[in-house]
Amino acid sequence: MAEVEQNIAALLSEERVFEPPADFAAGAIVRDRSPYERAEADLEGFWAEQAERLTWFRKWDAVMDWDPPWVKWFEGGTLNASYNCLDRHVEAGGGDKIAYYWEGEPGERRAITYGELLDEVCRCANALKSLGVERGDRVAIYLGMIPELPIAMLACARIGAPHSVVFGGFSAESLRDRIIDAEAKVLVTQDGGYRRGSEVPLKANADEALKECPSIEHVVTVRRSGGEHPFTPGRDHWYHELIAEQPPECEPQEMDAEDILYLLYTSGTTGSPKGIVHTTGGYLTGVAATHRMIFDIHDDDIFWCSADIGWVTGHSYIVYGPLANHTTGVIYEGAPDWPDRDRLWEIVERYKVTILYTAPTAIRAFMRWGTEYPEKHELSSLRLLGTVGEPINPEAWIWYWKFIGRKRCPVVDTWWQTETGMILITPLPGITRLKPGSATFPFPGVHAEVLDDQGNPVPPGGGGYLVLTHPWPAMLRTIWGDPDRYVTTYFGKYGPNIYLAGDGAKRDEDGYFWLLGRIDDVMNVAGHRLSTYEIESALVDNSKVAEAAVVSRPDELVGEAIVAFVTLKSSYEGTDGVAAELREHVANKIGKIARPHGIIFTTDLPKTRSGKIMRRLLRDVARGRPLGDVTTLANAEIVEQIHEMVDSGTGEE
Ligand code: ATP
Ligand code: MG
């Protein structure tokens, strides 16, 4: 067998280019290359100017202190994140602006102004203090998408207690593990939430988790679904009773720039979740600057990031970035297909959403459901679309642009991670020529490169490891309780100066970055290192396919054989004929080397609770191995189904 190539093969070539629409460009926040030039000339000066858009109690002494791999930003500066998100806007006369339109899954609606949000955050902060929460104590938050979620986060920020939000779709065990790891003192939860018409038993899960969480002294429960719940006297409190007694004023703590704002665990796509630590000054600077420039935020925008606040996307682009920029946002509690598959489009129409930010996994679901759902609604308020979470296949990008943006709206494909805190690779929609499937260029002041195994830059057209060669303000500071894991995970491969993202990437001849999926998922086929993304994109390029995941399994002939798991659009059936067609389609589109050996049709793919495809489980299935950790899986049943299909040999050549 040939020696395995060092670099990741780059097979896909995407020729379509989209210029910024002229009217969009004319009114955009960023209309020329000056932010890139400014950051190029004086990186620290650029970030200092972004930081100056926030309100500081005390100005910093130094912009950045880099003692690789440890970094500090804006040391000596003091500020408060909740003050920056709320008080300063209210003080400037902006208290009547809507902060959030909230919509419950069953249909309730609430509009919350900045002034109202500030009052309630103060009451909640006072309530936490009354329970003994002090600066530095961790507060776990296990809530669905209700207004009390951002309120509790901002209340923690106000008093300097790092929050650890645990996604409301997680099980009791996942909650328990995260509470134990963070040694949280108080838990804020709710009785029940709504998802697809049924109740999510958050409090019951919390009670189960708390059997093994000795650090928790108090539990605060928000009443949402009603009904009876066992309360432990002395430990359990109703949120509404607690805050009713509290005054709507609470002095914000003066926090150091480097004080911890929050911990957040990664989604666990590749392994056990890591407790990512974010601090205050650099994080807020990074999320506010990226939110404003990438989403082109104007005063009258209605910005809807449809992620769950339980993920970093929601932390940065539902809560901290938008509020720091005094933006009006939308929060929707439930499922996109409840009561029908047009719920999101109904919401866009109702609130006249101007900017929508969602995930490729959602877009692929919309593709599978069909265009009749968005077509039922008036979507003309939209002017900009965004995606995050996974590489977006060019066909999914085009679908989003065409059927949601109606060919008017630029699409910003934003690459970032829980660890990066803020978007790092992204178009700026008023100036960047877009290529579907490419996250385009590093944000001003961000230095990204693609390296080979030895640490040499990979020439244009080749694939390799995505790295960041200079710190950025919202970068993680460490892994909670495990600084060694911080060093080895992110700085183990190329040394302490170079952050390893764990994703594969290539740059094309024009310098565009293309994300190729996770390094762990790269396959060795007949001497070539193939990324999953390009083969999946070639499959999704076929008009019958909605979603695909490819993995490899050992094969006597070629070393590793490619197995593709494919979900078709709802009007097609997975016959042997279609399997043959798809194999040929991939061979024609990107080359024979990438032709899948086996095609397995499935109704869904195993996904994390944040909606990312979990290839490591499909790999186990394809190799007939016992399944690895499935606790972060959203749809465990599908793995069983796929297992049975593989055992019966469907779709093999
Ligand atoms: P874990 O690190 O625990 O395995 P995770 O990586 O899924 O979990 P997140 O921080 O939520 O946790 O996800 C970040 C990852 O998502 C990135 O490293 C990348 O693989 C993927 N990703 C996010 N946005 C994009 C994008 N625009 N294009 C390509 N990939 C993306
Ligand atoms: Mg990760």
Side-chain angles (χ1 to χ4, degrees):
M1 200 181 91
E3 201 180 308
V4 173
E5 279 175 3
Q6 292 291 348
N7 297 342
I8 302 172
L11 306 172
L12 190 73
S13 92
E14 174 57 60
E15 304 292 337
R16 289 166 287 195
V17 174
F18 294 79
E19 299 287 345
D23 53 337
F24 188 101
I29 297 265
V30 178
R31 294 177 208 185
D32 57 35
R33 298 193 45 79
S34 55
Y36 293 107
E37 286 157 10
R38 177 76 186 109
E40 191 65 37
D42 176 9
L43 187 136
E44 293 191 12
F46 169 78
W47 284 120
E49 282 156 22
Q50 301 309 315
E52 276 157 15
R53 300 181 61 85
L54 301 176
T55 304
W56 295 76
F57 298 138
R58 181 182 186 281
K59 197 171 169 174
W60 53 88
D61 301 318
V63 174
M64 188 190 74
D65 172 19
W66 180 219
D67 177 16
W70 309 102
V71 75
K72 292 177 180 152
W73 283 85
F74 307 114
E75 253 215 305
T78 64
L79 76 170
N80 182 282
S82 113
Y83 180 88
N84 272 279
C85 289
L86 303 170
D87 308 55
R88 64 174 184 147
H89 305 313
V90 175
E91 286 165 14
D96 292 335
K97 184 168 179 175
I98 307 285
Y100 293 121
Y101 289 109
W102 176 77
E103 188 162 313
E105 191 186 75
E108 314 92 314
R109 291 174 207 160
R110 234 178 111 181
I112 305 158
T113 66
Y114 273 85
E116 290 164 348
L117 196 58
L118 174 59
D119 276 13
E120 188 146 338
V121 165
C122 287
R123 287 182 206 275
C124 181
N126 288 328
L128 291 174
K129 284 207 281 194
S130 77
L131 299 177
V133 177
E134 289 175 12
R135 183 171 170 148
D137 288 340
R138 273 82 57 211
V139 174
I141 302 177
Y142 180 59
L143 290 170
M145 288 283 279
I146 56 174
E148 288 77 5
L149 174 48
I151 288 166
M153 292 163 73
L154 292 162
C156 289
R158 197 163 190 89
I159 60 176
H163 53 72
S164 168
V165 177
V166 179
F167 170 57
F170 270 131
S171 62
E173 298 76 56
S174 304
L175 174 63
R176 176 199 62 199
D177 294 348
R178 286 163 178 75
I179 290 176
I180 291 175
D181 191 70
E183 293 179 276
K185 190 169 180 180
V186 166
L187 170 67
V188 182
T189 186
Q190 76 188 80
D191 49 1
Y194 293 102
R195 184 84 189 171
R196 248 187 220 111
S198 28
E199 191 176 328
V200 184
L202 290 157
K203 179 62 160 73
N205 289 346
D207 283 335
E208 184 61 34
L210 293 184
K211 288 179 182 160
E212 295 167 81
C213 298
S215 63
I216 294 286
E217 294 172 11
H218 294 279
V219 179
V220 181
T221 303
V222 178
R223 190 153 69 192
R224 164 90 184 105
S225 57
E228 293 291 307
H229 289 274
F231 262 33
T232 306
R235 186 196 78 173
D236 275 311
H237 315 266
W238 282 113
Y239 174 87
H240 61 275
E241 288 176 3
L242 266 189
I243 67 160
E245 301 159 6
Q246 300 297 334
E249 296 92 28
C250 171
E251 214 29 53
Q253 280 275 333
E254 187 169 340
M255 305 303 291
D256 290 330
E258 281 297 326
D259 278 335
I260 298 177
L261 179 60
Y262 67 78
L263 317 181
L264 181 62
Y265 292 81
T266 55
S267 9
T269 312
T270 50
S272 73
K274 306 169 275 283
I276 302 302
V277 173
H278 283 296
T279 56
T280 309
Y283 174 79
L284 207 59
T285 299
V287 298
T290 48
H291 176 252
R292 177 170 165 272
M293 289 194 233
I294 297 163
F295 297 110
D296 189 47
I297 298 300
H298 290 67
D299 196 39
D300 54 356
D301 273 314
I302 310 292
F303 176 80
W304 186 17
C305 166
S306 76
D308 196 285
I309 293 175
W311 311 119
V312 75
T313 306
H315 279 57
S316 297
Y317 300 107
I318 297 177
V319 183
Y320 290 109
L323 294 179
N325 288 327
H326 198 213
T327 309
T328 297
V330 175
I331 297 179
Y332 167 55
E333 178 186 39
D337 55 351
W338 192 265
D340 204 350
R341 291 170 166 179
D342 64 343
R343 183 64 182 267
L344 298 197
W345 318 125
E346 187 189 308
I347 293 175
V348 167
E349 181 172 0
R350 178 159 33 253
Y351 302 105
K352 299 196 168 44
V353 171
T354 58
I355 305 162
L356 177 68
Y357 189 32
T358 191
T361 188
I363 297 167
R364 293 186 307 248
F366 306 147
M367 283 171 71
R368 197 163 73 224
W369 296 341
T371 55
E372 64 263 37
Y373 299 102
E375 274 159 10
K376 275 197 254 178
H377 294 276
E378 178 61 54
L379 304 181
S380 59
S381 57
L382 288 171
R383 63 181 195 89
L384 178 61
L385 302 174
T387 86
V388 59
E390 289 178 288
I392 184 162
N393 313 109
E395 272 323 298
W397 191 106
I398 295 284
W399 191 96
Y400 192 33
W401 175 80
K402 214 188 244 174
F403 295 106
I404 306 304
R406 312 251 159 108
K407 306 185 182 177
R408 288 178 294 103
C409 309
V411 177
V412 290
D413 172 6
T414 62
W415 177 86
W416 59 298
Q417 309 177 298
T418 308
E419 294 89 336
T420 71
M422 63 188 234
I423 296 168
L424 293 189
I425 302 184
T426 177
L428 295 179
I431 61 171
T432 309
R433 302 172 77 215
L434 305 173
K435 298 190 186 186
S438 168
T440 74
F441 302 105
F443 187 78
V446 171
H447 289 253
E449 275 187 50
V450 179
L451 301 183
D452 68 15
D453 238 353
Q454 277 70 50
N456 305 307
V458 176
Y465 297 82
L466 178 66
V467 299
L468 298 157
T469 56
H470 191 282
W472 61 98
M475 165 175 170
L476 80 164
R477 297 302 191 261
T478 187
I479 292 178
W480 179 256
D482 201 348
D484 292 344
R485 194 175 177 199
Y486 167 80
V487 177
T488 53
T489 305
Y490 308 109
F491 300 94
K493 189 169 176 68
Y494 299 114
N497 276 296
I498 296 184
Y499 173 93
L500 178 77
D503 287 334
K506 76 172 181 203
R507 293 188 79 176
D508 68 17
E509 306 288 339
D510 301 325
Y512 282 67
F513 282 77
W514 297 79
L515 276 299
L516 297 178
R518 294 160 194 279
I519 290 293
D520 302 31
D521 292 336
V522 169
M523 306 173 291
N524 294 329
V525 179
H528 297 276
R529 297 186 72 201
L530 301 183
S531 82
T532 53
Y533 166 74
E534 296 193 314
I535 303 173
E536 290 163 4
S537 291
L539 287 160
V540 176
D541 183 72
N542 183 287
S543 60
K544 298 189 174 80
V545 176
E547 189 163 55
V550 305
V551 299
S552 64
R553 62 169 164 68
D555 181 276
E556 283 171 16
L557 273 181
V558 283
E560 288 186 34
I562 301 169
V563 182
F565 297 83
V566 173
T567 306
L568 297 176
K569 289 182 185 160
S570 36
S571 44
Y572 297 101
E573 281 215 37
T575 59
D576 287 351
V578 174
E581 176 188 333
L582 294 183
R583 274 196 288 266
E584 280 324 295
H585 189 85
V586 173
N588 291 334
K589 179 95 188 155
I590 59 173
K592 285 212 174 71
I593 174 81
R595 195 167 180 269
H597 296 254
I599 301 240
I600 295 158
F601 294 105
T602 80
T603 52
D604 201 356
L605 294 166
K607 309 232 173 92
T608 61
R609 287 173 207 271
S610 57
K612 295 169 197 262
I613 298 172
M614 264 226 249
R615 292 178 194 75
R616 64 179 164 89
L617 292 179
L618 292 172
R619 208 149 48 221
D620 292 342
V621 171
R623 292 169 186 215
R625 285 194 308 225
L627 295 183
D629 183 12
V630 294
T631 51
T632 55
L633 209 62
N635 50 351
E637 39 344 302
I638 197 71
V639 189
E640 277 312 310
Q641 278 180 35
I642 296 174
H643 231 307
E644 286 163 22
M645 292 169 66
V646 172
D647 287 346
S648 62
T650 322
E652 288 285 315
E653 226 173 359

